[in-house]
């Protein structure tokens, strides 16, 4: 078992109304110095077995076919965040370990 | 001959019954089509109605676009069959690349429901021949993801080729680029728009008109246009 992260963001030139609304709410709550917020999507895709180049290529194709719409969104990242084990250590931790 | 117009139901579709009713009021036979069947049942035209197919999960229309029926709809559309996408149906048509561009969340983030004035910019599509170029019509608009976007090149191309079919008049309700409410493909047989013609087809249930409350039937000509075209080529 392994987990692959797919990170999708609205294209820079496309207005992101959700990010804009969040960005407008932050100063109201006292969070100062934030000039812009853009909101994207994070998919965590679990696959059986090893992550081969073929598996990654498959996920990349899925990311470009279904998970994102190229008219309004970019796939900014496809990466393995956790390989092997049960993953009970939590996503954040596993990802940090792998990146370290 | 009676024209047969199919109305597709996806999980989460809301306006299939209203669309079928509009088809019948316009004088055609309404044929129920189901998302999971790769079968168009010999219909002469197809309506993709509004609603929230698959709960709008991922993106509006993104999952419906891969339903088995859509492969047949795309083939038929490419062969010249009249196809009308209303609201969520328009979103499905952009996701499946029968129409360019995409819809994102309304600029103001609110769900909006109002009687909306549109200008018919192209009265030569399969769904607009019973209107006049420049005619203003009032039909209901109700959506949250209605902001039409495309890159400038695509927008310029749409304008140059007369493929902007409808434009918002008076107020742009969602921030759509160049006030675009609906567009058509090169051939003019595929039309998509965010407002709802099928909700303005019978006095008593439509938007307010100049004459009296709820008497507006400006949407009916979408369906009579398609039927007239089908009968002319039959």
């Amino acid at each position: 078992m392994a987990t692959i992260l797919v990170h999708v963001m609205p294209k820079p030139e496309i207005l992101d109304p959700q990010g804009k609304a969040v960005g407008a709410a932050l100063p109201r709550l006292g969070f100062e110095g934030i000039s812009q917020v853009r909101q994207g999507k994070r998919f965590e895709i679990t696959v059986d077995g090893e992550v081969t180049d073929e598996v990654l290529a498959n996920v990349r194709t899925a990311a470009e076919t279904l998970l994102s719409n190229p008219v309004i969104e970019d796939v900014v990242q496809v990466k393995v965040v956790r390989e092997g084990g049960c993953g009970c250590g939590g996503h954040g931790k596993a990802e940090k370990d792998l990146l370290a | 001959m009676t024209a047969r117009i199919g109305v597709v139901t996806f999980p989460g579709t809301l306006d299939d019954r209203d669309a079928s009713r509009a088809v019948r009021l316009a004088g055609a036979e309404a044929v129920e089509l189901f998302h999971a069947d790769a079968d168009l049942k010999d219909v002469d035209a197809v309506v993709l109605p509004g609603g929230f197919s698959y709960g709008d999960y991922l993106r509006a229309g993104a999952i419906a676009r891969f339903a088995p029926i859509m492969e047949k709809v795309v083939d038929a559309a490419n062969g010249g069959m009249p196809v009308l996408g209303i609201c969520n149906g328009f979103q499905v048509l952009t996701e499946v690349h029968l129409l360019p561009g995409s819809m994102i969340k309304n600029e103001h983030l609110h769900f909006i429901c109002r009687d909306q004035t549109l200008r018919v910019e192209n009265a030569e599509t399969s769904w607009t021949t019973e209107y006049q170029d420049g005619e203003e019509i009032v039909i209901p608009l109700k959506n949250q993801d209605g902001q039409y976007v495309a890159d400038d090149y695509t927008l310029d191309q749409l304008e140059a080729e007369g493929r902007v079919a409808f434009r918002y008049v008076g107020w742009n309700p969602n921030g759509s680029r160049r006030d675009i409410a609906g567009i058509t493909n090169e051939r003019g047989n595929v039309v998509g728009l965010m407002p709802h013609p099928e909700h303005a087809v019978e006095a008593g249930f439509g938007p307010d008109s100049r004459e009296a409350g709820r008497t507006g039937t400006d949407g009916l000509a979408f369906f009579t246009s398609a039927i007239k075209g089908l009968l002319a080529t039959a």
Side-chain angles (χ1 to χ4, degrees):
Chain A
M1 295 253 285
T3 303
I4 299 167
L5 160 73
V6 175
H7 182 187
V8 174
M9 288 298 289
K11 280 184 187 294
E13 67 270 25
I14 296 280
L15 171 81
D16 169 19
Q18 294 181 104
K20 225 172 84 178
V22 174
L26 286 169
R28 285 204 297 272
L29 298 175
F31 297 101
E32 298 296 340
I34 295 167
S35 57
Q36 196 191 24
V37 178
R38 293 184 69 77
Q39 183 178 326
K41 292 173 187 165
R42 172 185 169 124
F43 301 87
E44 292 181 355
I45 297 175
T46 305
V47 296
D48 295 325
E50 246 181 276
V51 182
T52 59
D53 285 351
E54 198 192 341
V55 169
L56 256 187
N58 239 342
V59 170
R60 207 163 272 133
T61 307
E64 282 154 13
T65 315
L66 176 65
L67 305 185
S68 71
N69 176 348
V71 176
I72 50 172
E73 295 166 320
D74 291 323
V75 178
V76 293
Q77 199 175 35
V78 178
K79 69 166 186 179
V80 182
V81 289
R82 188 173 60 238
E83 245 174 321
C86 65
C88 60
H91 303 162
K93 181 174 178 287
E95 187 177 342
K96 221 182 288 166
D97 291 347
L98 199 79
L99 289 172
Chain B
M1 172 202 166
T2 307
R4 286 164 55 82
I5 300 185
V7 177
V8 179
T9 301
F10 298 100
T13 295
L14 297 177
D15 298 322
D16 41 350
R17 298 293 181 93
D18 277 32
S20 293
R21 193 164 143 276
V23 164
R24 284 192 297 271
L25 284 168
E29 182 188 346
V31 180
E32 287 179 16
L33 298 177
F34 195 53
H35 71 101
D37 299 335
D39 179 8
L40 289 185
K41 298 185 183 170
D42 292 320
V43 295
D44 305 304
V46 171
V47 177
L48 302 180
F52 297 87
S53 60
Y54 299 88
D56 270 357
Y57 296 155
L58 195 58
R59 298 177 304 280
I63 299 178
R65 168 255 149 115
F66 291 102
I69 192 93
M70 283 310 296
E71 210 173 302
K72 300 288 175 189
V73 171
V74 170
D75 284 348
N78 287 332
M81 182 186 280
V83 174
L84 174 66
I86 303 166
C87 195
N88 192 222
F90 183 19
Q91 293 158 341
V92 174
L93 288 178
T94 60
E95 284 283 343
V96 81
H97 306 142
L98 279 174
L99 293 174
S102 185
M103 251 68 62
I104 63 172
K105 215 156 278 301
N106 293 342
E107 195 171 32
H108 46 64
L109 292 173
H110 298 290
F111 186 95
I112 193 154
C113 181
R114 71 193 299 260
D115 295 343
Q116 176 70 45
T117 304
L118 308 179
R119 187 168 55 245
V120 180
E121 300 278 19
N122 180 341
E124 287 170 16
T125 78
S126 296
W127 300 91
T128 55
T129 51
E130 294 292 286
Y131 295 107
Q132 305 292 319
D133 271 327
E135 186 176 342
E136 292 194 0
I137 62 172
V138 179
I139 59 177
L141 172 78
K142 44 164 197 168
N143 63 63
Q144 179 153 13
D145 291 330
Q147 181 180 174
Y148 181 75
V149 295
D151 58 44
D152 283 333
Y153 174 80
T154 305
L155 293 169
D156 289 343
Q157 200 179 15
L158 286 173
E159 303 268 12
E161 294 173 1
R163 288 169 54 195
V164 175
F166 304 94
R167 239 185 273 268
Y168 298 114
V169 174
W171 183 55
N172 180 336
N174 45 35
S176 285
R177 298 295 175 278
R178 305 189 191 184
D179 300 335
I180 290 173
I183 56 174
T184 185
N185 64 345
E186 275 172 57
R187 200 165 172 168
N189 62 309
V190 179
V191 170
L193 80 166
M194 286 313 294
H196 288 260
E198 82 284 17
H199 292 329
V201 293
E202 187 177 11
F205 304 93
D208 296 345
S209 73
R210 258 184 227 105
E211 288 72 39
R214 300 196 180 282
T215 56
T217 57
D218 286 354
L220 192 61
F222 275 77
F223 305 94
T224 53
S225 295
I227 293 166
K228 202 168 171 189
L230 290 170
L231 296 181
T233 56

